[in-house]
Amino acid sequence: MKILVINCGSSSLKYQLFDMENEKVMVKGLVERIGIDGSRLIQKVEGKEDFLIEKPMSDHTKAVGYVFDALVDKENGVISDLSEIDGVGHRFVHGGEKVAKSVIIDDEVKKAVEEYTKFAPLHNPANMMGFEACENLLPNVKNVAVFDTAFHQTMPKENYLYALDYKYYEKYAIRKYGFHGTSHKYITQRAAAILEKDIDDLNIISCHLGNGASICAVKNGKSFDTTMGLTPLEGLVMGTRSGDLDPTVVTFLMDAENMSTAEINNELNKKSGVLGISGVSSDFRDLEENANEGNERSGIALKMFANRAKRYLAGYIAELGRCDAIVFTGGIGENSVTMRESIMEGFEQFNIKLDKEKNNVRGGENIVSTDDSNVKIMVVATNEELMIAKDTQSLIK
Ligand code: AMP
């Protein structure tokens, strides 16, 4: 069975085609600048030169059309006919309270995507455009939506409500939804397999630390609490996002700098986080290099990132009661040996101990705690696309 996975942004589209017999990626590609001058598609197939299509792509339907052309291209493609595609899995961002698992896209799902566009105004419409393009161009193939929010729908009310007048939850559905659900779910499944534990009895803390970053407390295999909120802005310090703030900072800045809601949103999402603090970069490789060279603000940004993560980790250990493993994933979680070390520093007092030698790894699937640590510490490479492909496969079977 062959499954195409599509992840649409407002002007971009990433895709991967999986052969589910062996769960291998047959091809990966990226379309950039959809609807802007200079649209282009780059496709990568192992053992072949990169394939480039530079043609105007005024919308997502055009872009998906070129993706299909690239997939069946005689020299550069990997399939001979589009009928070889058995299903398409789409990444969707916000399904709100209406979607608690991956689903075949029908009218109900479309309504939910529309309803929660209020909380994901850039992402949900782009995700929908990708789906509509596939529906038009491949009318006989089933489309599945996999939502970033779905995994977190098991959180109890005490963990998802904000301490506001309850009427705002009832009126606008303002609450914590959580994101990165596909990654946290994948990590939970992998941790159960690696630790050889029944997933229904598995308690872990999944730390997805990338440019966007979130931590999820998983109780009995289900999301119990998470750091991101109504939108992916809450929680940890991130590459360019502020994470947690006193809300008064927002109202003060809007008054003092005469900012509109769009401007303050842009400030908090694109110009804050470790980029805002360091003034240098949102990339942790740059920050680590700069901090080593004595750049004070880069050093502070890294410490802020680690301390915010520690606070949530310690809190979630207490919320879970019993924690089997702390798992690091995402670009930083998988690759930054020093960030994992700084986050875990201080947990030795609870006999949760990182083994510095074992921790000297990047990616893969590794246990990096000492043999006598009360809680296993792990590094597991995430694979959201494979998770989407697997959910799609199981729904269309
Ligand atoms: P992601 O959003 O999960 O793709 O993560 C991207 C981020 O991972 C980059 O912006 C870097 O900050 C970080 N990253 C990737 N490789 C390394 C590395 N070797 N050391 C430290 N940080 C890394």
Side-chain angles (χ1 to χ4, degrees):
M1 183 180 271
K2 294 190 179 69
I3 302 286
L4 179 66
V5 173
I6 288 198
N7 181 354
C8 275
S10 50
S11 65
S12 69
L13 184 165
K14 289 187 209 144
Y15 64 96
Q16 292 191 13
L17 184 67
F18 283 88
D19 182 349
M20 298 309 286
E21 303 302 321
N22 50 18
E23 298 186 349
K24 285 267 148 52
V25 178
M26 301 171 71
V27 59
K28 268 185 197 189
L30 168 68
V31 187
E32 295 171 303
R33 303 181 67 84
I34 301 170
I36 315 173
D37 279 353
S39 311
R40 58 188 219 140
L41 176 153
I42 308 171
Q43 175 165 284
K44 291 179 189 294
V45 179
E46 219 179 85
K48 289 190 185 178
E49 294 230 330
D50 288 1
F51 178 44
L52 188 68
I53 300 180
E54 286 181 298
K55 295 225 172 107
M57 302 184 206
S58 53
D59 56 30
H60 286 72
T61 307
K62 289 257 159 53
V64 170
Y66 284 116
V67 169
F68 291 158
D69 287 352
L71 290 174
V72 299
D73 186 85
K74 288 237 157 31
E75 273 173 36
N76 303 286
V78 287
I79 50 175
S80 47
D81 194 275
L82 291 178
S83 61
E84 288 179 46
I85 299 174
D86 298 291
V88 186
H90 299 264
R91 181 208 176 203
F92 272 77
V93 168
H94 216 307
E97 291 189 320
K98 298 282 157 65
V99 194
K101 54 187 186 334
S102 302
V103 277
I104 291 187
I105 304 176
D106 60 11
D107 288 346
E108 285 284 294
V109 178
K110 289 183 202 167
K111 258 206 276 181
V113 172
E114 225 167 87
E115 183 179 341
Y116 288 96
T117 291
K118 64 185 173 190
F119 300 140
L122 296 179
H123 289 99
N124 272 16
N127 303 154
M128 195 47 113
M129 282 191 277
F131 155 66
E132 282 168 354
C134 289
E135 195 183 36
N136 285 334
L137 298 169
L138 284 182
N140 298 320
V141 172
K142 286 208 174 82
N143 289 277
V144 168
V146 179
F147 286 86
D148 279 9
T149 51
F151 182 63
H152 300 296
Q153 278 299 300
T154 48
M155 283 193 289
K157 226 168 197 172
E158 63 271 24
N159 287 346
Y160 72 66
L161 285 177
Y162 290 119
L164 298 170
D165 189 324
Y166 196 80
K167 70 182 178 200
Y168 296 122
Y169 168 59
E170 294 177 313
K171 201 169 169 187
Y172 302 112
I174 292 179
R175 48 161 283 184
K176 186 185 269 279
Y177 288 98
F179 296 86
H180 286 145
T182 311
S183 174
H184 292 306
K185 181 173 160 186
Y186 178 83
I187 292 300
T188 305
Q189 291 184 359
R190 288 310 307 148
I194 297 161
L195 298 173
E196 297 180 357
K197 278 198 75 126
D198 179 3
I199 198 161
D200 297 327
D201 186 38
L202 180 76
N203 289 359
I204 64 162
I205 301 177
S206 165
C207 307
H208 180 114
L209 312 179
N211 200 28
S214 74
I215 300 185
C216 178
V218 176
K219 193 171 196 170
N220 300 326
K222 298 187 176 71
S223 175
F224 184 72
D225 205 348
T226 193
T227 56
M228 282 179 170
L230 178 75
T231 74
L233 182 56
E234 190 182 347
L236 301 175
V237 175
M238 301 179 221
T240 61
R241 291 175 231 165
S242 64
D244 298 337
L245 279 179
D246 180 341
T248 312
V249 173
V250 177
T251 49
F252 177 87
L253 270 181
M254 288 178 81
D255 284 345
E257 296 272 319
N258 199 17
M259 282 183 185
S260 64
T261 46
E263 285 167 338
I264 190 81
N265 272 333
N266 189 50
E267 189 67 39
L268 298 178
N269 278 291
K270 302 266 166 70
K271 298 186 184 170
S272 303
V274 291
L275 171 69
I277 293 296
S278 67
V280 169
S281 174
S282 62
D283 193 302
F284 280 62
R285 285 162 289 201
D286 300 338
L287 295 176
E288 285 172 4
E289 206 182 302
N290 266 277
N292 285 339
E293 285 164 4
N295 180 310
E296 192 195 359
R297 276 167 52 185
S298 292
I300 293 172
L302 291 169
K303 282 190 186 138
M304 285 175 73
F305 183 92
N307 280 352
R308 185 85 54 92
K310 269 188 222 286
R311 269 176 237 159
Y312 276 112
L313 261 184
Y316 286 171
I317 289 171
E319 273 191 46
L320 288 177
R322 184 202 85 226
C323 177
D324 300 313
I326 294 166
V327 190
F328 287 96
T329 193
I332 301 159
E334 289 167 31
N335 294 302
S336 179
V337 174
T338 50
M339 184 48 74
R340 289 195 299 263
E341 214 174 271
S342 9
I343 291 174
M344 293 317 304
E345 199 181 298
F347 282 95
E348 303 81 6
Q349 62 189 306
F350 307 116
N351 204 25
I352 300 173
K353 294 191 280 191
L354 190 77
D355 183 316
K356 287 191 180 169
E357 262 172 46
K358 289 185 191 158
N359 185 45
N360 200 8
V361 287
R362 295 187 200 287
E365 296 189 332
N366 296 286
I367 294 176
V368 296
S369 43
T370 59
D371 292 342
D372 67 343
S373 174
N374 271 346
V375 174
K376 294 258 186 316
I377 306 171
M378 301 164 76
V379 177
V380 176
T382 196
N383 194 339
E384 289 163 284
E385 293 78 14
L386 178 59
M387 192 75 247
I388 294 175
K390 280 178 155 187
D391 277 6
T392 304
Q393 180 187 30
S394 73
L395 278 165
I396 64 171
K397 247 183 187 168

